[in-house]
Coordinates of all heavy atoms in Angstrom, one line a residue:
M1 N -12.7 11.1 -56.4 CA -12.9 9.7 -56.0 C -13.5 9.6 -54.6 O -12.8 9.3 -53.6 CB -11.5 8.9 -56.1 CG -11.0 8.8 -57.5 SD -12.0 7.8 -58.6 CE -11.3 6.2 -58.2
G2 N -14.7 9.9 -54.5 CA -15.4 9.9 -53.2 C -15.5 8.5 -52.6 O -15.2 8.3 -51.4
L3 N -15.8 7.5 -53.4 CA -16.0 6.1 -52.9 C -14.7 5.6 -52.3 O -14.7 4.9 -51.3 CB -16.5 5.3 -54.1 CG -16.9 3.9 -53.7 CD1 -18.2 3.9 -52.8 CD2 -17.2 3.0 -54.9
F4 N -13.6 5.8 -53.0 CA -12.3 5.3 -52.6 C -12.0 5.9 -51.2 O -11.5 5.1 -50.3 CB -11.3 5.7 -53.6 CG -9.9 5.0 -53.3 CD1 -9.8 3.7 -53.4 CD2 -8.8 5.8 -52.9 CE1 -8.6 3.1 -53.1 CE2 -7.6 5.3 -52.7 CZ -7.5 3.9 -52.7
R5 N -12.2 7.1 -51.0 CA -11.9 7.8 -49.7 C -12.8 7.2 -48.6 O -12.4 7.0 -47.5 CB -12.2 9.3 -49.8 CG -11.0 10.0 -50.4 CD -11.2 11.5 -50.2 NE -10.0 12.2 -50.6 CZ -9.8 13.5 -50.5 NH1 -10.7 14.2 -49.9 NH2 -8.7 14.1 -50.9
L6 N -14.1 6.9 -49.0 CA -15.0 6.3 -48.1 C -14.6 5.0 -47.6 O -14.6 4.6 -46.4 CB -16.4 6.2 -48.7 CG -17.6 6.0 -47.7 CD1 -17.9 7.2 -46.9 CD2 -18.8 5.5 -48.5
L7 N -14.1 4.2 -48.6 CA -13.6 2.8 -48.2 C -12.4 2.9 -47.3 O -12.3 2.2 -46.3 CB -13.2 2.1 -49.5 CG -14.3 1.6 -50.3 CD1 -13.8 1.0 -51.6 CD2 -15.1 0.5 -49.5
I8 N -11.5 3.9 -47.6 CA -10.3 4.0 -46.7 C -10.8 4.4 -45.3 O -10.3 3.9 -44.3 CB -9.4 5.1 -47.3 CG1 -8.6 4.5 -48.5 CG2 -8.4 5.5 -46.2 CD1 -7.7 5.4 -49.2
L9 N -11.8 5.3 -45.2 CA -12.3 5.8 -44.0 C -12.9 4.6 -43.2 O -12.6 4.5 -42.0 CB -13.4 6.8 -44.2 CG -13.6 7.8 -43.0 CD1 -12.5 8.7 -42.8 CD2 -14.9 8.6 -43.2
I10 N -13.7 3.8 -43.8 CA -14.3 2.6 -43.2 C -13.2 1.7 -42.7 O -13.2 1.2 -41.5 CB -15.2 1.9 -44.2 CG1 -16.5 2.7 -44.4 CG2 -15.6 0.5 -43.6 CD1 -17.3 2.2 -45.5
A11 N -12.2 1.5 -43.5 CA -11.0 0.6 -43.1 C -10.3 1.2 -41.9 O -10.0 0.4 -41.0 CB -10.1 0.4 -44.3
L12 N -10.2 2.5 -41.9 CA -9.5 3.1 -40.7 C -10.3 3.0 -39.5 O -9.8 2.7 -38.4 CB -9.3 4.6 -41.0 CG -8.0 4.9 -41.8 CD1 -8.0 6.4 -42.2 CD2 -6.8 4.6 -41.1
V13 N -11.6 3.1 -39.6 CA -12.5 3.0 -38.5 C -12.5 1.6 -37.9 O -12.3 1.3 -36.7 CB -14.0 3.3 -38.8 CG1 -14.9 2.9 -37.7 CG2 -14.1 4.8 -39.1
F14 N -12.5 0.6 -38.8 CA -12.4 -0.8 -38.4 C -11.1 -1.1 -37.7 O -11.0 -1.7 -36.6 CB -12.5 -1.7 -39.6 CG -13.9 -2.2 -39.8 CD1 -14.8 -1.5 -40.7 CD2 -14.4 -3.3 -39.2 CE1 -16.1 -1.9 -40.9 CE2 -15.7 -3.8 -39.4 CZ -16.5 -3.0 -40.2
A15 N -10.0 -0.6 -38.3 CA -8.7 -0.8 -37.7 C -8.6 -0.1 -36.3 O -8.1 -0.7 -35.3 CB -7.6 -0.2 -38.6
A16 N -9.2 1.1 -36.2 CA -9.2 1.8 -34.9 C -10.0 1.0 -33.8 O -9.6 0.8 -32.7 CB -9.8 3.2 -35.0
V17 N -11.2 0.5 -34.2 CA -12.0 -0.3 -33.3 C -11.2 -1.6 -32.9 O -11.2 -1.9 -31.7 CB -13.3 -0.7 -34.0 CG1 -14.1 -1.7 -33.1 CG2 -14.2 0.6 -34.1
W18 N -10.6 -2.2 -33.8 CA -9.9 -3.5 -33.5 C -8.7 -3.2 -32.6 O -8.5 -3.9 -31.6 CB -9.3 -4.1 -34.8 CG -8.5 -5.3 -34.6 CD1 -8.9 -6.5 -34.4 CD2 -7.0 -5.3 -34.7 NE1 -7.8 -7.4 -34.3 CE2 -6.6 -6.6 -34.4 CE3 -6.0 -4.3 -34.9 CZ2 -5.3 -7.0 -34.4 CZ3 -4.7 -4.7 -34.8 CH2 -4.4 -6.0 -34.6
L19 N -8.0 -2.1 -32.8 CA -6.9 -1.7 -32.0 C -7.4 -1.4 -30.6 O -6.8 -1.8 -29.6 CB -6.2 -0.5 -32.6 CG -4.7 -0.4 -32.2 CD1 -3.9 -1.4 -32.9 CD2 -4.2 1.0 -32.6
W20 N -8.5 -0.6 -30.5 CA -9.0 -0.2 -29.2 C -9.4 -1.4 -28.4 O -9.2 -1.5 -27.2 CB -10.2 0.7 -29.5 CG -10.8 1.3 -28.2 CD1 -10.3 2.3 -27.5 CD2 -12.0 0.9 -27.6 NE1 -11.1 2.5 -26.4 CE2 -12.2 1.7 -26.5 CE3 -13.0 -0.1 -27.9 CZ2 -13.3 1.5 -25.6 CZ3 -14.1 -0.2 -27.1 CH2 -14.2 0.6 -25.9
R21 N -10.1 -2.4 -29.1 CA -10.5 -3.6 -28.4 C -9.3 -4.3 -27.8 O -9.3 -4.9 -26.8 CB -11.3 -4.5 -29.3 CG -12.7 -4.1 -29.4 CD -13.5 -5.1 -30.1 NE -14.9 -4.8 -30.2 CZ -15.8 -5.5 -30.9 NH1 -15.5 -6.6 -31.4 NH2 -17.1 -5.1 -30.9
R22 N -8.3 -4.4 -28.7 CA -7.0 -5.1 -28.3 C -6.4 -4.4 -27.0 O -5.9 -5.1 -26.1 CB -6.0 -5.1 -29.4 CG -6.0 -6.3 -30.2 CD -4.8 -6.4 -31.1 NE -3.6 -6.6 -30.3 CZ -2.6 -7.4 -30.6 NH1 -2.7 -8.1 -31.7 NH2 -1.6 -7.5 -29.9
L23 N -6.4 -3.1 -27.0 CA -5.8 -2.4 -25.9 C -6.6 -2.4 -24.7 O -6.1 -2.5 -23.6 CB -5.6 -0.9 -26.3 CG -4.5 -0.7 -27.4 CD1 -4.5 0.7 -27.9 CD2 -3.1 -1.1 -26.9
T24 N -7.9 -2.4 -24.8 CA -8.8 -2.3 -23.6 C -9.0 -3.7 -23.0 O -9.4 -3.8 -21.9 CB -10.1 -1.7 -24.0 OG1 -10.7 -2.4 -25.1 CG2 -10.0 -0.2 -24.2
R25 N -8.8 -4.8 -23.8 CA -9.0 -6.1 -23.3 C -7.9 -6.4 -22.3 O -6.8 -6.5 -22.6 CB -9.0 -7.1 -24.4 CG -9.4 -8.5 -23.9 CD -9.1 -9.5 -24.9 NE -9.8 -9.3 -26.2 CZ -9.5 -9.8 -27.3 NH1 -8.4 -10.6 -27.4 NH2 -10.1 -9.5 -28.4
K26 N -8.3 -6.6 -21.0 CA -7.3 -6.9 -20.0 C -7.2 -8.4 -19.8 O -8.2 -9.1 -19.9 CB -7.8 -6.2 -18.7 CG -7.6 -4.7 -18.8 CD -8.2 -4.1 -17.5 CE -8.2 -2.6 -17.6 NZ -8.9 -1.9 -16.5
P27 N -6.0 -8.8 -19.5 CA -5.9 -10.3 -19.2 C -6.6 -10.6 -17.9 O -6.6 -9.8 -16.9 CB -4.4 -10.4 -19.0 CG -3.8 -9.0 -18.7 CD -4.8 -8.1 -19.4
R28 N -7.2 -11.7 -17.9 CA -8.0 -12.1 -16.7 C -7.0 -12.4 -15.5 O -6.0 -13.1 -15.7 CB -8.7 -13.4 -17.0 CG -10.0 -13.2 -17.8 CD -10.7 -14.5 -17.8 NE -11.9 -14.4 -18.7 CZ -12.6 -15.5 -19.0 NH1 -12.4 -16.6 -18.5 NH2 -13.6 -15.4 -19.8
P29 N -7.4 -12.0 -14.3 CA -6.7 -12.4 -13.1 C -7.0 -13.8 -12.8 O -7.7 -14.1 -11.8 CB -7.1 -11.4 -12.1 CG -8.4 -10.9 -12.5 CD -8.5 -11.1 -14.0
A30 N -6.6 -14.8 -13.6 CA -7.1 -16.2 -13.5 C -6.5 -16.8 -12.2 O -7.2 -17.5 -11.5 CB -6.7 -17.0 -14.7
S31 N -5.2 -16.5 -12.1 CA -4.6 -17.2 -11.0 C -4.7 -16.3 -9.7 O -4.1 -15.3 -9.6 CB -3.1 -17.5 -11.3 OG -2.5 -16.3 -11.6
R32 N -5.4 -16.8 -8.8 CA -5.4 -16.1 -7.5 C -4.2 -16.5 -6.7 O -3.4 -17.3 -7.1 CB -6.7 -16.5 -6.7 CG -7.9 -16.0 -7.3 CD -9.2 -16.5 -6.6 NE -10.4 -16.3 -7.4 CZ -11.5 -16.8 -7.1 NH1 -11.7 -17.6 -6.1 NH2 -12.6 -16.5 -7.8
S33 N -4.0 -15.8 -5.6 CA -2.8 -15.9 -4.9 C -2.5 -17.4 -4.5 O -1.3 -17.8 -4.6 CB -2.8 -15.1 -3.6 OG -3.9 -15.4 -2.8
A34 N -3.5 -18.1 -4.1 CA -3.3 -19.5 -3.7 C -4.1 -20.4 -4.5 O -5.1 -20.0 -5.1 CB -3.6 -19.6 -2.2
A35 N -3.8 -21.7 -4.5 CA -4.6 -22.7 -5.1 C -5.9 -22.9 -4.3 O -5.9 -22.6 -3.1 CB -3.9 -24.0 -5.1
P36 N -7.0 -23.2 -5.0 CA -8.3 -23.4 -4.3 C -8.2 -24.5 -3.3 O -7.6 -25.5 -3.5 CB -9.3 -23.7 -5.4 CG -8.4 -24.2 -6.5 CD -7.1 -23.5 -6.4
A37 N -8.9 -24.3 -2.2 CA -8.9 -25.3 -1.1 C -9.7 -26.6 -1.6 O -10.7 -26.4 -2.3 CB -9.5 -24.8 0.1
M38 N -9.1 -27.7 -1.3 CA -9.8 -28.9 -1.7 C -10.6 -29.5 -0.6 O -10.1 -29.5 0.6 CB -8.7 -30.0 -2.2 CG -7.9 -29.5 -3.3 SD -8.8 -29.3 -4.9 CE -8.8 -31.0 -5.5
V39 N -11.7 -30.0 -0.9 CA -12.5 -30.7 0.1 C -12.8 -32.1 -0.3 O -12.8 -32.4 -1.5 CB -13.8 -29.9 0.4 CG1 -13.5 -28.6 1.2 CG2 -14.6 -29.7 -0.8
R40 N -13.3 -32.9 0.6 CA -13.5 -34.3 0.3 C -15.0 -34.6 0.3 O -15.7 -34.2 1.3 CB -12.8 -35.2 1.3 CG -12.8 -36.7 0.9 CD -11.8 -37.4 1.9 NE -12.1 -38.8 1.9 CZ -13.0 -39.4 2.7 NH1 -13.7 -38.7 3.5 NH2 -13.1 -40.7 2.6
C41 N -15.5 -35.3 -0.7 CA -16.9 -35.6 -0.8 C -17.2 -36.7 0.3 O -16.5 -37.7 0.4 CB -17.3 -36.2 -2.1 SG -19.0 -36.8 -2.2
A42 N -18.2 -36.4 1.2 CA -18.5 -37.3 2.3 C -19.1 -38.6 1.8 O -19.2 -39.5 2.6 CB -19.4 -36.6 3.3
Q43 N -19.6 -38.6 0.6 CA -20.3 -39.8 0.1 C -19.3 -40.7 -0.7 O -19.3 -41.9 -0.4 CB -21.4 -39.3 -0.8 CG -22.3 -40.5 -1.3 CD -23.1 -41.1 -0.2 OE1 -23.2 -40.6 0.9 NE2 -23.6 -42.3 -0.4
C44 N -18.6 -40.2 -1.6 CA -17.7 -41.1 -2.4 C -16.2 -40.8 -2.2 O -15.4 -41.6 -2.6 CB -18.0 -40.9 -3.9 SG -17.5 -39.3 -4.5
G45 N -15.9 -39.8 -1.4 CA -14.5 -39.6 -1.0 C -13.6 -38.9 -2.1 O -12.4 -38.8 -1.9
V46 N -14.2 -38.4 -3.2 CA -13.4 -37.7 -4.2 C -13.1 -36.3 -3.7 O -13.8 -35.7 -3.0 CB -14.2 -37.7 -5.5 CG1 -15.3 -36.6 -5.6 CG2 -13.3 -37.6 -6.7
H47 N -11.9 -35.9 -4.2 CA -11.5 -34.5 -3.8 C -11.9 -33.5 -4.9 O -11.6 -33.7 -6.0 CB -10.0 -34.5 -3.5 CG -9.6 -35.1 -2.2 ND1 -9.5 -36.5 -2.1 CD2 -9.4 -34.6 -1.0 CE1 -9.2 -36.8 -0.9 NE2 -9.1 -35.6 -0.2
I48 N -12.5 -32.4 -4.4 CA -12.9 -31.4 -5.3 C -12.6 -30.0 -4.8 O -12.5 -29.9 -3.6 CB -14.5 -31.5 -5.5 CG1 -15.1 -32.0 -4.2 CG2 -14.8 -32.2 -6.8 CD1 -16.5 -32.0 -4.2
P49 N -12.4 -29.0 -5.7 CA -12.1 -27.7 -5.2 C -13.4 -27.2 -4.4 O -14.5 -27.4 -4.8 CB -11.9 -26.9 -6.4 CG -12.3 -27.7 -7.6 CD -12.2 -29.1 -7.1
K50 N -13.1 -26.4 -3.4 CA -14.2 -26.0 -2.5 C -15.2 -25.1 -3.2 O -16.4 -25.2 -2.9 CB -13.6 -25.2 -1.4 CG -14.4 -25.2 -0.1 CD -13.6 -24.6 1.0 CE -14.3 -24.6 2.4 NZ -13.5 -24.1 3.5
D51 N -14.8 -24.3 -4.2 CA -15.8 -23.5 -4.8 C -16.7 -24.2 -5.7 O -17.7 -23.7 -6.2 CB -15.0 -22.3 -5.6 CG -14.1 -22.9 -6.6 OD1 -13.7 -24.1 -6.5 OD2 -13.7 -22.1 -7.5
R52 N -16.4 -25.5 -6.0 CA -17.3 -26.3 -6.8 C -18.1 -27.3 -6.0 O -19.0 -27.9 -6.5 CB -16.5 -27.1 -7.9 CG -16.2 -26.3 -9.1 CD -16.1 -27.2 -10.3 NE -14.8 -27.2 -10.9 CZ -14.3 -28.2 -11.6 NH1 -15.1 -29.3 -11.9 NH2 -13.2 -28.2 -12.2
A53 N -17.7 -27.5 -4.8 CA -18.3 -28.5 -3.9 C -19.6 -27.9 -3.3 O -19.8 -26.7 -3.3 CB -17.4 -28.8 -2.8
L54 N -20.5 -28.9 -3.0 CA -21.7 -28.5 -2.3 C -21.6 -28.8 -0.8 O -21.1 -29.8 -0.4 CB -22.9 -29.3 -3.0 CG -23.1 -29.0 -4.4 CD1 -24.0 -30.1 -5.0 CD2 -23.8 -27.7 -4.6
H55 N -22.2 -27.9 -0.1 CA -22.1 -28.0 1.4 C -23.5 -28.4 1.9 O -24.5 -27.8 1.6 CB -21.7 -26.6 2.0 CG -21.4 -26.7 3.4 ND1 -22.1 -26.0 4.4 CD2 -20.4 -27.5 4.1 CE1 -21.6 -26.3 5.6 NE2 -20.6 -27.2 5.4
G56 N -23.5 -29.4 2.8 CA -24.7 -29.8 3.4 C -24.4 -30.7 4.6 O -23.4 -31.4 4.6
N57 N -25.2 -30.6 5.7 CA -25.1 -31.4 6.9 C -23.7 -31.2 7.5 O -23.1 -32.2 8.0 CB -25.3 -32.9 6.6 CG -26.5 -33.1 5.7 OD1 -27.5 -32.4 5.8 ND2 -26.4 -34.1 4.9
D58 N -23.1 -30.0 7.3 CA -21.7 -29.7 7.8 C -20.7 -30.6 7.1 O -19.6 -30.9 7.6 CB -21.6 -30.0 9.3 CG -22.3 -28.8 10.1 OD1 -22.3 -27.7 9.6 OD2 -22.8 -29.1 11.2
R59 N -21.0 -31.1 5.9 CA -20.1 -31.9 5.1 C -20.1 -31.3 3.7 O -20.9 -30.5 3.3 CB -20.6 -33.3 5.1 CG -20.4 -34.0 6.4 CD -21.1 -35.4 6.2 NE -21.0 -36.1 7.5 CZ -21.4 -37.4 7.6 NH1 -22.0 -38.0 6.6 NH2 -21.3 -38.0 8.7
W60 N -19.1 -31.8 3.0 CA -18.9 -31.4 1.6 C -19.3 -32.5 0.6 O -19.0 -33.7 1.0 CB -17.5 -30.9 1.3 CG -17.2 -29.6 2.0 CD1 -16.6 -29.5 3.2 CD2 -17.6 -28.3 1.6 NE1 -16.5 -28.2 3.6 CE2 -17.1 -27.4 2.6 CE3 -18.2 -27.8 0.5 CZ2 -17.3 -26.0 2.5 CZ3 -18.4 -26.4 0.4 CH2 -17.9 -25.5 1.4
Y61 N -19.8 -32.2 -0.5 CA -20.2 -33.2 -1.5 C -19.8 -32.8 -2.9 O -19.8 -31.6 -3.2 CB -21.7 -33.5 -1.4 CG -22.2 -34.0 -0.1 CD1 -22.6 -33.1 0.9 CD2 -22.1 -35.3 0.2 CE1 -23.0 -33.5 2.1 CE2 -22.5 -35.8 1.5 CZ -23.0 -34.9 2.4 OH -23.4 -35.3 3.6
C62 N -19.5 -33.8 -3.7 CA -19.0 -33.4 -5.1 C -20.2 -33.1 -6.0 O -20.1 -32.5 -7.0 CB -18.3 -34.6 -5.6 SG -19.3 -36.1 -6.0
S63 N -21.4 -33.6 -5.6 CA -22.6 -33.3 -6.5 C -23.8 -33.3 -5.6 O -23.9 -33.8 -4.5 CB -22.7 -34.4 -7.5 OG -22.9 -35.7 -6.9
Q64 N -24.9 -32.7 -6.2 CA -26.2 -32.7 -5.6 C -26.7 -34.1 -5.2 O -27.3 -34.3 -4.2 CB -27.2 -31.9 -6.5 CG -28.5 -31.7 -5.9 CD -28.5 -30.6 -4.8 OE1 -27.7 -29.7 -4.9 NE2 -29.3 -30.7 -3.8
A65 N -26.4 -35.0 -6.1 CA -26.9 -36.4 -6.0 C -26.3 -37.0 -4.7 O -27.0 -37.6 -3.9 CB -26.6 -37.2 -7.2
H66 N -25.0 -36.8 -4.5 CA -24.4 -37.3 -3.3 C -24.8 -36.7 -2.0 O -24.9 -37.3 -1.0 CB -22.8 -37.3 -3.5 CG -22.3 -38.3 -4.4 ND1 -21.0 -38.4 -4.8 CD2 -23.0 -39.4 -4.9 CE1 -20.9 -39.5 -5.5 NE2 -22.1 -40.1 -5.7
L67 N -25.1 -35.4 -2.1 CA -25.6 -34.7 -1.0 C -27.0 -35.3 -0.6 O -27.2 -35.5 0.6 CB -25.8 -33.2 -1.3 CG -26.1 -32.2 -0.2 CD1 -25.6 -30.8 -0.6 CD2 -27.5 -32.1 0.2
E68 N -27.8 -35.5 -1.5 CA -29.1 -36.0 -1.2 C -29.1 -37.5 -0.8 O -29.8 -37.9 0.1 CB -30.1 -35.9 -2.4 CG -30.6 -34.5 -2.5 CD -31.2 -34.2 -3.9 OE1 -31.4 -35.1 -4.6 OE2 -31.4 -33.0 -4.2
Q69 N -28.1 -38.2 -1.4 CA -28.0 -39.6 -1.0 C -27.6 -39.7 0.5 O -28.1 -40.5 1.3 CB -26.9 -40.3 -1.8 CG -27.4 -41.0 -3.0 CD -26.2 -41.6 -3.8 OE1 -25.3 -42.2 -3.2 NE2 -26.3 -41.6 -5.1
D70 N -26.6 -38.9 0.9 CA -26.1 -39.0 2.2 C -27.2 -38.5 3.2 O -27.3 -39.0 4.3 CB -24.8 -38.1 2.3 CG -24.0 -38.5 3.6 OD1 -23.8 -39.7 3.7 OD2 -23.7 -37.6 4.4
R71 N -27.9 -37.5 2.8 CA -29.0 -36.9 3.7 C -30.0 -38.0 3.9 O -30.5 -38.2 5.0 CB -29.6 -35.7 3.0 CG -30.6 -35.0 3.9 CD -31.1 -33.8 3.2 NE -30.2 -32.7 3.1 CZ -30.3 -31.6 2.3 NH1 -31.3 -31.6 1.5 NH2 -29.4 -30.7 2.3
S72 N -30.5 -38.7 2.9 CA -31.5 -39.7 3.0 C -31.0 -40.9 3.8 O -31.7 -41.6 4.4 CB -32.0 -40.1 1.6 OG -31.0 -40.7 0.9
H73 N -29.7 -41.2 3.6 CA -29.1 -42.3 4.3 C -28.9 -42.1 5.8 O -29.3 -42.9 6.6 CB -27.7 -42.6 3.6 CG -27.0 -43.8 4.2 ND1 -27.5 -45.1 4.0 CD2 -26.0 -43.9 5.1 CE1 -26.7 -45.9 4.6 NE2 -25.8 -45.2 5.3
G74 N -28.4 -40.9 6.1 CA -28.0 -40.7 7.5 C -29.2 -40.0 8.3 O -29.4 -40.5 9.4
G75 N -29.8 -39.0 7.7 CA -30.8 -38.3 8.5 C -32.1 -39.0 8.5 O -32.4 -39.9 7.7
R76 N -33.0 -38.5 9.3 CA -34.4 -39.0 9.3 C -35.4 -38.1 8.6 O -35.4 -36.9 8.9 CB -34.9 -39.2 10.8 CG -34.2 -40.4 11.4 CD -34.7 -40.6 12.8 NE -33.8 -41.6 13.5 CZ -33.9 -41.8 14.8 NH1 -34.8 -41.1 15.6 NH2 -33.1 -42.6 15.4
Ligands
ZN1 ZN1 -19.3 -37.8 -4.3

C-alpha cells in the first residue's frame, strides 16, 4: 500500500510544519514599558499619541491637513 503510506507521510509533514509554525511564532511585544506620550493638536486641540502625531512649526498636529492649515494661517 504505497499510496496510503504516502498520504500518512504528507499528513505528518503538514502536522510538523503546523507545529513548527506554532512554536516559532513569538508573541508580539505589543506593550512597551510605558504608555505612549500624548500630544495636543495645535489646530483643533485633540489629544493623540506622539508616534501618530505630525510635527511642524515646533508644534504637534493630529493630521497633515491641520499642519498645513496652521502653517498657512500663522506663517507668511
Ligand atoms: Zn487637529
Side-chain angles (χ1 to χ4, degrees):
M1 294 295 272
L3 187 68
F4 186 68
R5 279 194 173 184
L6 194 72
L7 283 174
I8 286 178
L9 201 72
I10 289 168
L12 276 173
V13 168
F14 266 93
V17 168
W18 176 80
L19 204 74
W20 183 75
R21 279 191 179 178
R22 262 192 70 137
L23 290 173
T24 52
R25 190 192 300 161
K26 289 173 185 172
R28 282 189 189 176
S31 59
R32 289 173 193 172
S33 56
M38 301 292 277
V39 290
R40 189 170 162 274
C41 176
Q43 185 68 15
C44 68
V46 80
H47 285 83
I48 29 173
K50 206 171 182 176
D51 57 343
R52 274 211 247 159
L54 295 166
H55 189 242
N57 316 326
D58 285 332
R59 291 173 179 182
W60 291 98
Y61 300 93
C62 68
S63 62
Q64 185 71 34
H66 280 175
L67 192 155
E68 281 167 12
Q69 265 181 40
D70 198 52
R71 186 180 286 163
S72 62
H73 182 73
R76 283 180 194 171

